[in-house]
């Protein structure tokens, strides 16, 4: 899905409660330098209140000049889902081994994973 988003010229961001350096390193390690360069990073040390407050998402939307109604947030925790919804932005949840038992009521979509497997049913069109 990430490669499809990049190919489509969509604007991408990572919004995290962690500090900026940690987020940049993680994104570069997991995505590789070429993909990582396509993401703007918004980290917890850039806002007054961390998730579940919506501050980091609102900062991203404002800084990037985005229309919230055309955004989608991918989250893996109840706290992140709450922040997304408090920001007024659609949210898809991917469960992780750490958060699988959490309550994701209010999510626009809940999936086991976002990946290259077409059976997940997650495409740019379904987001």
């Amino acid at each position: 899905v990430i490669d499809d988003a990049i190919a489509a010229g969509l604007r991408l961001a990572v919004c995290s409660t962690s500090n900026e350096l940690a987020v940049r390193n993680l994104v570069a390690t997991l995505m590789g330098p070429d993909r990582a360069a396509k993401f703007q990073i918004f980290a917890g040390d850039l806002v007054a209140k961390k998730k579940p407050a919506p501050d980091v998402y609102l900062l991203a939307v404002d800084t990037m000049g985005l229309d919230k109604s055309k955004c989608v947030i991918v989250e893996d925790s109840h706290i992140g889902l709450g922040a997304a919804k408090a920001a007024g932005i659609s949210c898809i949840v991917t469960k992780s081994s750490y958060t699988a038992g959490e309550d994701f009521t209010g999510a626009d979509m809940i999936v086991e994973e976002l990946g290259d497997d077409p059976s997940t049913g997650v495409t740019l069109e379904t987001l």
Side-chain angles (χ1 to χ4, degrees), residues 32-49:
D34 291 339
R35 281 189 191 115
K38 304 293 185 185
F39 286 85
Q40 285 191 248
I41 304 295
F42 298 91
D45 52 353
L46 301 176
V47 293
K49 297 178 189 170

Side-chain angles (χ1 to χ4, degrees), residues 86-111:
I89 302 172
S90 295
C91 184
I92 180 172
V93 171
T94 60
K95 296 179 185 178
S96 75
S97 58
Y98 300 105
T99 63
E102 293 185 11
D103 178 10
F104 295 118
T105 301
D108 295 281
M109 181 187 285
I110 302 170
V111 297

